[in-house]
């Protein structure tokens, strides 16, 4: 089997790294309440998949140790600036969520925001998340997900997906993320669905999935 590419390079990745903080502005404000609620309880070693340019660093409590796994190296400088600004100790890797470069059962929490839509292999990402979490550790997520099957919005998401994926850096707006998390093997999943105004990228899902203790 060919090895999964762990680095996103080329002009598109460079442009996306530049554009992400600009595109994200309003949407970030709308999902902020869920980030504040869920991220404030993080402790110890936290691994974030796809941290991008560091949008979440402002919400992380002081004292955590962050391991970031971000395949787009053009995002790294901005992320490191944010880490310095908010006093977060970070160890940053160019890599992918399907192949995490850390030992089994070595982190207290895994964080993901607006990433599960664009990972290449969602099941492998969740399996890796479980592998690296310590017993009793938690997976904390704030994501946009596919609308209810059979709804008009889901039809729109299904139709627009091929183009959306190209312009949105691999984003699939129609993924059944909750179903995948529930099937992945966590001991308990607590999640709530919410909507924010805007086309295609809705509904959202925020919650915590616990590894058996
Ligand atoms: C929409 S951005 C979200 C960034 C950040 N989490 C946020 O909330 O602003 C998606 C991020 O996921 C990253 N990504 C895409 N595929 C990935 C993968 N397989 N593993 C880890 N990160 C990935 C992208 O490079 C990008 O930084």
């Amino acid at each position: 089997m060919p090895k999964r590419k762990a680095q996103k390079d080329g002009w598109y990745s460079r442009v996306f790294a530049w554009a992400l903080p600009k595109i994200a502005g309003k949407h970030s404000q709308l999902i902020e309440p869920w980030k504040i609620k869920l991220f404030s309880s993080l402790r110890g070693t936290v691994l974030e998949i796809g941290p991008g340019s560091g949008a979440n660093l402002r919400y992380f409590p002081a004292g955590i140790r962050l391991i970031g796994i971000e395949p787009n190296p053009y995002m790294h400088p901005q992320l490191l600036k944010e880490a310095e600004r908010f006093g977060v100790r970070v160890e940053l890797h160019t890599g992918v969520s399907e192949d995490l470069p850390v030992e089994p059962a070595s982190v207290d929490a895994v964080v993901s925001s607006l990433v599960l839509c664009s990972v290449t292999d969602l099941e492998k990402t969740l399996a890796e998340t479980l592998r690296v979490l310590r017993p009793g550790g938690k997976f904390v997520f704030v994501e946009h997900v596919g609308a209810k099957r059979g709804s008009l919005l889901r039809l729109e998401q299904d139709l627009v997906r091929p183009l959306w994926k190209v312009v949105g850096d691999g984003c699939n707006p129609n993924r059944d993320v909750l179903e995948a998390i529930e099937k992945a093997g966590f001991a308990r999943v607590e999640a709530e669905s919410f909507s924010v105004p805007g086309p295609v990228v809705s509904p959202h899902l925020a919650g915590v999935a616990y590894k058996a203790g």
Side-chain angles (χ1 to χ4, degrees):
M1 241 204 4
K3 202 166 165 34
R4 192 171 278 110
K5 201 171 172 214
Q7 174 163 336
K8 289 174 158 209
D9 41 28
W11 68 268
Y12 185 90
S13 297
R14 196 185 280 265
V15 170
F16 201 78
W18 169 81
L20 182 62
K22 295 167 183 64
I23 311 167
K26 179 73 184 158
H27 185 255
S28 297
Q29 279 171 21
L30 294 169
I31 64 174
E32 185 172 54
W34 282 271
K35 289 188 175 184
I36 292 173
K37 181 175 156 194
L38 291 171
F39 297 166
S40 62
S41 64
L42 294 170
R43 299 285 178 272
T45 301
V46 176
L47 183 146
E48 181 172 4
I49 57 171
S53 39
N56 293 332
L57 295 182
R58 67 189 60 214
Y59 307 110
F60 292 158
I64 66 154
R65 168 179 169 250
L66 182 67
I67 303 172
I69 310 296
E70 172 51 61
N72 183 341
Y74 304 113
M75 305 261 192
H76 291 197
Q78 181 62 28
L79 188 151
L80 292 171
K81 254 192 226 163
E82 289 292 282
E84 199 175 318
R85 183 172 164 211
F86 294 103
V88 178
R89 274 182 303 154
V90 63
E91 176 190 317
L92 189 52
H93 296 263
T94 304
V96 286
S97 53
E98 293 88 348
D99 188 13
L100 297 173
V102 302
E103 294 296 312
S106 62
V107 308
D108 297 290
V110 174
V111 167
S112 154
S113 80
L114 311 177
V115 173
L116 298 182
C117 57
S118 48
V119 299
T120 310
D121 187 332
L122 180 55
E123 282 71 31
K124 183 80 175 88
T125 292
L126 295 169
E128 274 292 89
T129 296
L130 271 166
R131 180 185 70 79
V132 303
L133 279 173
R134 67 162 169 77
K138 57 189 188 177
F139 175 42
V140 180
F141 47 88
V142 181
E143 294 287 336
H144 71 83
V145 300
K148 194 162 179 275
R149 286 200 198 105
S151 67
L152 184 60
L153 178 54
R154 179 57 176 256
L155 180 64
E156 281 169 30
Q157 291 175 337
D158 291 344
L159 291 175
V160 81
R161 177 179 165 269
L163 178 63
W164 197 264
K165 215 176 154 178
V166 175
V167 295
D169 196 31
C171 171
N172 297 274
N174 59 348
R175 277 202 173 153
D176 294 315
V177 172
L178 180 57
E179 214 172 280
I181 295 174
E182 285 176 339
K183 280 187 192 155
F186 290 95
R188 196 167 91 242
V189 179
E190 293 168 359
E192 61 179 311
S193 177
F194 64 99
S195 302
V196 299
V200 183
V201 179
S202 192
H204 286 63
L205 184 74
V208 183
Y210 297 87
K211 180 169 171 173

